[in-house]
Amino acid sequence: MEQPLTQRADQPLNPRGKRQSRARARQHPAPNPAPRKTQDAQPSADVPVPEPRPADTPKVEAPKTQDRNAENPKRGGAPDLLKDPDLLKDPGLLKDEEAHRKSQTPLEPSAETESEPEPPAVVPIPTPKPGITTPEPQPPAVAPQPTPKPADAGDEEKMLPDPRSADLPADKMPADEVACRERLKTLGVEFEEHKAESNPEIGCSIPYPIVLKTLGKSIAIAPGTELNCPMAEAAARFAADVIQPAAKAEFGADLKSIGQASAFICRPRNGTRKLSEHAFGNALDIASFTLSDGKTIEVGPAPPEKDGKFLDAVRKAACGPFKTVLGPGADADHALHFHFDLEPRRHGGTFCQ
């Protein structure tokens, strides 16, 4: 007589056939079926599906473990295996079942393996564009040469010819020179003879010069004034006939002396190649007048009123006895003196300015 089966109160009854079928399944494992699409593989309707990123920057985010368990609760895992009583009785069956379920469960991407692509170790640097550089100035192939002077450039420094440059003293003084000296003595002019002046390179010449000490009995001139005799006579007559009466009329005093600025000097006219009248002792520059009471009247552009009146009278009267008269206002060279000369002009004309 068969004895009744004893069953533990804490162990549920499990038919033997089920256990044998599981054992046969363990002995003859079925080939891995092709991954099938189940409803569990589809995302739950309640779970929001992330929008795919643009095609040029794909990025797969690993699903969280909690979300996967919520989407597919029947997949093989430790909590599902523990619910089977047969598997709890036989540990070997538990291991076989777990391996079987793992073989059927499709592999899911891991968050560790599917991370964002790391940047390269060396960042590629774009090829720089060729810069626009200003070329450095290069020295000329041929060094610049100074402009050659014209062949006749040396002639520009020479003075224009003047017939008086060829005058030389004779063995005997000419009669007109002797007569001039006699007239000077009559006017009370004191003078000294001087050796002839001649400079062939420039053209200056005075064959019979004299040096004036006075312009009359009571009119001195200083410093020593070297002139030709005709110019000395013209200056002495002008001092006695014009300057002396003008000083007496304007200041009530006699003319005592004249301060000269220039007499003979071997040079051309300023800024020209023409010889000055000073180069022939034929010009006299007067810078001041001194009266017997000690008053001095200086030639200048803005003299006092009475001095200006006296200077204007002298200047106007000089145009006639002298062929050239210049003074303040004529040009910058004559701003501080009167220039008187006997330059020969056509038809005896004068130039007064």
Side-chain angles (χ1 to χ4, degrees), residues 21 65 106 141 172 195 216 231 242 281 285 325 353:
S21 63
T65 306
K172 185 179 180 180
K195 65 178 182 180
M231 184 61 197
V242 176
D285 292 346
V325 176
Q353 189 175 6

Side-chain angles (χ1 to χ4, degrees), residues 186-274:
T186 302
L187 293 171
V189 176
E190 297 180 8
F191 62 92
E192 293 180 355
E193 298 289 345
H194 197 275
K195 65 178 182 180
E197 298 284 0
S198 179
N199 188 328
E201 293 183 1
I202 299 177
C204 307
S205 177
I206 308 178
Y208 309 101
I210 61 174
V211 177
L212 296 175
K213 301 294 184 182
T214 67
L215 290 175
K217 294 179 180 179
S218 61
I219 305 172
I221 187 169
T225 306
E226 185 178 6
L227 298 170
N228 61 38
C229 191
M231 184 61 197
E233 182 180 0
R237 292 187 180 277
F238 184 73
D241 298 342
V242 176
I243 301 175
Q244 182 69 277
K248 194 81 171 178
E250 192 64 41
F251 302 105
D254 293 332
L255 177 62
K256 183 179 180 179
S257 66
I258 291 177
Q260 65 93 2
S262 178
F264 169 74
I265 180 171
C266 189
R267 66 173 179 81
R269 292 182 181 179
N270 291 334
T272 70
R273 294 170 55 200
K274 186 176 182 179

Side-chain angles (χ1 to χ4, degrees), residues 3 6 16 31 61 73 76 85 88 113 124 131 142 163 173 176 182 188 266 281 291 302 337:
Q3 294 182 358
T6 305
R16 185 179 300 177
E61 294 185 358
L88 290 174
T113 58
V142 180
M173 185 179 291
D176 56 343
E182 292 294 331
C266 189
L291 304 180
H337 65 268

